[in-house]
Amino acid sequence: MLIMTFAALGLAAVQTAPRQPVQYRTHHVTAGLKAGCKVWAVHTPAGKIGSHRAIVRCPAPVEAIEADAASKSDRVG
């Protein structure tokens, strides 16, 4: 009986561990919004030309955004 109690407590501790959100920086936020992600715009200082990529925070990885990030890193390097 004591072993079952410890096993149940150990299993409950493992299941309640919070999941870390996944964060992306991208211009394509549509896939993240469809997946239920939160999107933060990044401020561009006055006088600066261009725009910064938005920060997209998702509870789980989003394949469409990861594919976009992978293709951009391949083009840069």
Side-chain angles (χ1 to χ4, degrees):
M1 183 74 167
L2 185 62
I3 294 172
M4 294 298 279
T5 304
F6 286 127
L9 288 174
L11 185 62
V14 170
Q15 290 178 347
T16 59
R19 295 174 62 182
Q20 295 291 347
V22 181
Q23 181 171 314
Y24 305 100
R25 291 189 63 112
T26 181
H27 288 293
H28 306 285
V29 297
T30 306
L33 290 173
K34 287 181 182 177
C37 302
K38 295 180 180 178
V39 178
W40 282 270
V42 179
H43 174 71
T44 303
K48 298 290 182 179
I49 298 173
S51 63
H52 296 286
R53 295 177 294 167
I55 298 172
V56 180
R57 291 190 181 145
C58 304
V62 178
E63 290 130 15
I65 297 175
E66 286 183 355
D68 179 51
S71 65
K72 285 187 178 180
S73 66
D74 290 341
R75 284 184 272 169
V76 171

